[in-house]
Amino acid sequence: MSTPNFSKTLQTLNPDLVICDFNLPWAADCTSSVHIPAVQFLTFSAAAIALCIHMSDKPREMFPFPEIYLCKYEILSLTKVLKELAVGKFPFNEGLRRSQDIILMKTCRDFEGKYMDYLSSLVSKKIVPVGILVQESIDKDDPEEIMQWLDKKHKGSTVFVSFGSEFFLAKEQIHAVAQGLELSKVNFIWVIRFPQGEKISIQDALPEGFHERVGERGMVMEGWTTQATILQHTSIGGFVSHCGWNSFMESMKFGVPIIAMPMQVDQPMNSRLVEYIGMGMEAMRDENGKLQSEEIAKAIRKVVVENSGEAVRKKANELSQKMNAKGDEEIDGVVEELSDELNQP
């Protein structure tokens, strides 16, 4: 939505409050011009946002949380993204500072409290967590064959493999993941997506003979499926994930440990957080950031099969129980904070 159209909509609707995300950094200026408060809502981890703003504001200082440190190639990639975001009238970090006294974040203080506090100090705003915002899936549109296939697998014996809807693996990466799954000897269901308009089949994308070698222990499908439905299935014992924040939250909701393979932007920080809080482990790459099939297989087996992964599986289950027990606690706090904002003189 363009700025003039947004301003016109504000005048027509005359809302009491506007909640906007970081893609609309100019929204706060528009709302303030018509005396309507605006609150930012961020759907990223507090750790990732804090690191990004720290890198922009304090480039010569070490980030105070070494567990989130990035590799050299990850720092270069993130620096490039931050430079792109800094272009224009409203740089990302300035957009946060233009909002009201609070910033809403899709997170929980239980596992991100110290990052929330540091972010608060960086932007001089109160960070209010809204919780994980994940509902149990009631979608029945998934092909019946998927559920039937999963029903045949033992409890916790299968990994779900998905890299989200906004990132597409290159052929070399697809081969590395495929070989890792093959070497792991673990059951898997893998959702592969290709960029719109690309005419490529799964058969052509995968290594030659892959289907025949993995046989009945693997299912590969193209396109879209309800991720939450699959993660809730009792046969799922691990999630091979890019560590997008929504996927992170869904794993926590359903108690599924993560085998992390971060690809871009905030995902490496989320992956470090996965390991730090103990609900998964990252598949190690080479010094240039290339995926390694043997390390993928090693991480899958450690998380899903081996006794050494018992602590990770237990932690994922504990976090799930804790998050589910909280209910609407965070949302109740959000309502209170927003009410206070509206009642300010």
Side-chain angles (χ1 to χ4, degrees):
M1 181 182 288
S2 65
T3 304
N5 287 337
F6 183 67
S7 297
K8 186 177 180 180
T9 300
L10 286 176
Q11 294 170 14
T12 302
L13 297 177
N14 191 30
D16 294 317
L17 176 76
V18 172
I19 298 176
C20 53
D21 67 16
F22 87 102
N23 288 309
L24 305 174
W26 40 264
D29 275 12
C30 286
T31 60
S32 64
S33 68
V34 290
H35 309 292
I36 297 172
V39 173
Q40 287 266 358
F41 174 43
L42 302 181
T43 55
F44 298 92
S45 67
I49 297 296
L51 175 57
C52 289
I53 294 180
H54 177 96
M55 289 175 64
S56 296
D57 291 359
K58 303 179 179 183
R60 300 183 187 281
E61 295 183 22
M62 295 293 289
F63 188 60
F65 307 106
E67 68 273 10
I68 309 296
Y69 282 2
L70 303 180
C71 303
K72 184 177 180 180
Y73 64 85
E74 293 170 335
I75 292 174
L76 291 174
S77 176
L78 183 59
T79 300
K80 181 180 178 181
V81 171
L82 292 176
K83 286 182 178 179
E84 292 171 353
L85 289 174
V87 175
K89 184 179 178 181
F90 299 110
F92 171 61
N93 53 345
E94 290 305 316
L96 292 183
R97 294 185 173 100
R98 287 172 180 268
S99 64
Q100 293 297 109
D101 295 334
I102 65 172
I103 295 175
L104 306 181
M105 295 202 74
K106 183 178 179 177
T107 190
C108 294
R109 178 162 286 279
D110 299 75
F111 55 89
E112 279 218 288
K114 63 181 180 180
Y115 311 117
M116 290 168 55
D117 292 340
Y118 184 60
L119 175 59
S120 177
S121 70
L122 289 173
V123 298
S124 300
K125 306 287 182 183
K126 183 176 182 178
I127 308 301
V128 179
V130 304
I132 60 177
L133 299 185
V134 177
Q135 292 183 324
E136 293 191 16
S137 176
I138 56 174
D139 198 314
K140 303 299 182 185
D141 293 335
D142 281 301
E144 190 175 337
E145 63 175 312
I146 296 177
M147 295 299 110
Q148 290 178 345
W149 185 87
L150 287 169
D151 288 342
K152 295 176 183 178
K153 306 305 177 186
H154 295 301
K155 181 179 180 180
S157 68
T158 305
V159 292
F160 174 50
V161 187
S162 176
F163 293 88
S165 58
E166 298 180 2
F167 180 83
F168 306 100
L169 296 176
K171 188 168 185 177
E172 180 184 15
Q173 293 172 317
I174 290 175
H175 278 224
V177 173
Q179 290 161 4
L181 291 169
E182 186 177 340
L183 289 170
S184 75
K185 307 297 183 184
V186 170
N187 301 327
F188 64 88
I189 178 167
W190 183 5
V191 177
I192 296 182
R193 296 179 179 88
F194 302 109
Q196 188 173 3
E198 278 199 10
K199 296 182 178 179
I200 182 172
S201 68
I202 288 179
Q203 192 68 35
D204 292 335
L206 292 169
E208 185 176 353
F210 176 73
H211 285 294
E212 292 75 18
R213 291 192 297 273
V214 298
E216 281 297 310
R217 73 175 179 86
M219 172 182 278
V220 185
M221 57 183 295
E222 181 183 353
W224 181 90
T225 189
T226 311
Q227 182 166 290
T229 302
I230 294 177
L231 289 174
Q232 288 178 74
H233 198 282
T234 57
S235 72
I236 298 298
F239 183 14
V240 178
S241 172
H242 62 314
C243 282
W245 196 233
N246 287 335
S247 292
F248 181 108
M249 292 299 196
E250 287 187 340
S251 276
M252 182 170 290
K253 167 73 175 179
F254 303 122
V256 180
I258 293 176
I259 298 94
M261 280 189 262
M263 297 294 172
Q264 58 184 354
V265 195
D266 63 319
Q267 296 161 14
M269 290 87 89
N270 298 341
S271 177
R272 302 301 121 80
L273 187 59
V274 163
E275 289 200 317
Y276 180 63
I277 65 177
M279 65 169 286
M281 68 175 295
E282 185 173 338
M284 298 302 295
R285 302 177 183 233
D286 69 13
E287 60 182 10
N288 297 313
K290 290 181 63 175
L291 294 172
Q292 302 180 85
S293 300
E294 296 81 3
E295 292 297 331
I296 294 172
K298 180 180 176 181
I300 290 173
R301 290 196 61 81
K302 184 171 183 179
V303 168
V304 179
V305 180
E306 296 174 2
N307 291 335
S308 57
E310 179 61 30
V312 168
R313 297 189 289 271
K314 182 179 179 181
K315 184 64 174 181
N317 184 58
E318 288 176 352
L319 286 168
S320 174
Q321 292 181 6
K322 189 172 187 178
M323 293 302 104
N324 291 327
K326 291 172 75 70
D328 295 329
E329 181 181 321
E330 280 99 348
I331 292 299
D332 291 341
V334 171
V335 171
E336 184 177 336
E337 291 288 348
L338 292 180
S339 296
D340 290 344
E341 284 292 316
L342 290 173
N343 292 328
Q344 285 186 13

